[in-house]
Amino acid sequence: ATPPLEALRLILHLAATTRVDSKDFKVMTIDVSRAYFYAPVKEGQYIYVQLPPEDIEQGEEGMCGRLNYSMYGTRRAATNWQAHYTSVLRKNGFVVGVANNCTFYHPGRNIYCMVHGDDFISTATDESLTWLETVLNKEFKIKTSVIGPDDKDEKEIKILNRIIRYTKSGIELEADLR
């Protein structure tokens, strides 16, 4: 299995087997819209882009622009994004995983989280997941889905091209259909 799939299996295992104060763990996915644009370009990284013709003013012919924030398609965009979301999570009490630096744990709120690209996949109690959603919503434009046992919860979501289902007998992970 690939590292993201191994981390996803761990998140699902914890969701299926963990209870805190008689409360079930649920699984939440958060998709960050235009994630790389939130990541500042690091000091010493200079990324220049050709200006679009409609933005060139008189006397600026032949000039280029220097990016302050990352942009899709640039070499350091993914690295800058990872550094940025790691910083956001750490300042909110998360500890970075030892074996995989895309996994996180919040000891005070008992939240397990993995990040793959612009997707955050987490498991915890409803209250802790709501807290995490609030934290990330302050920083990014996000779309959230939660699967769990309550009527308000979804019963099926797609993560890493796999279908995850919450059923009465447990959590099912469907194979990648490709």
Side-chain angles (χ1 to χ4, degrees):
T2 62
L5 185 55
E6 291 170 357
L8 175 61
R9 286 181 177 157
L10 176 61
I11 295 277
L12 297 177
H13 167 75
L14 292 165
T17 60
T18 309
R19 292 173 63 93
V20 173
D21 297 330
S22 301
K23 296 177 186 170
D24 289 319
F25 268 33
K26 298 179 180 186
V27 176
M28 178 174 71
T29 62
I30 291 180
D31 178 61
V32 177
S33 175
R34 299 165 45 108
Y36 289 177
F37 295 115
Y38 293 103
V41 173
K42 297 269 188 210
E43 186 67 34
Q45 290 179 1
Y46 300 109
I47 304 170
Y48 296 94
V49 294
Q50 184 175 358
L51 296 173
E54 62 271 12
D55 287 344
I56 298 174
E57 295 180 7
Q58 185 70 29
E60 293 182 339
E61 297 83 3
M63 294 185 85
C64 61
R66 188 169 117 194
L67 297 178
N68 295 323
Y69 288 87
S70 297
M71 186 170 82
Y72 288 88
T74 58
R75 282 194 179 156
R76 296 284 182 196
T79 303
N80 291 340
W81 167 239
Q82 182 178 8
H84 185 61
Y85 73 69
T86 298
S87 166
V88 168
L89 291 173
R90 290 183 68 168
K91 83 175 182 191
N92 284 285
F94 280 86
V95 176
V96 180
V98 175
N100 182 336
N101 63 359
C102 294
T103 59
F104 301 87
Y105 176 66
H106 193 291
R109 295 186 180 270
N110 209 21
I111 303 171
Y112 298 89
C113 180
M114 67 170 279
V115 183
H116 185 262
D118 62 358
D119 295 317
F120 290 72
I121 301 122
S122 309
T123 188
T125 61
D126 209 13
E127 295 80 9
S128 290
L129 291 177
T130 300
W131 174 84
L132 176 58
E133 180 182 19
T134 302
V135 164
L136 294 179
N137 197 37
K138 287 178 186 172
E139 299 284 337
F140 316 116
K141 182 179 178 193
I142 61 174
K143 181 182 171 202
T144 306
S145 299
V146 176
I147 62 169
D150 299 337
D151 291 339
K152 68 179 174 117
D153 300 328
E154 296 180 43
K155 301 302 176 209
E156 183 176 292
I157 53 178
K158 190 173 185 178
I159 304 171
L160 300 178
N161 292 315
R162 288 164 170 76
I163 305 296
I164 311 298
R165 281 187 201 88
Y166 193 94
T167 68
K168 291 186 188 294
S169 61
I171 297 174
E172 296 175 354
L173 171 63
E174 190 174 294
D176 186 347
L177 300 176
R178 294 179 288 158

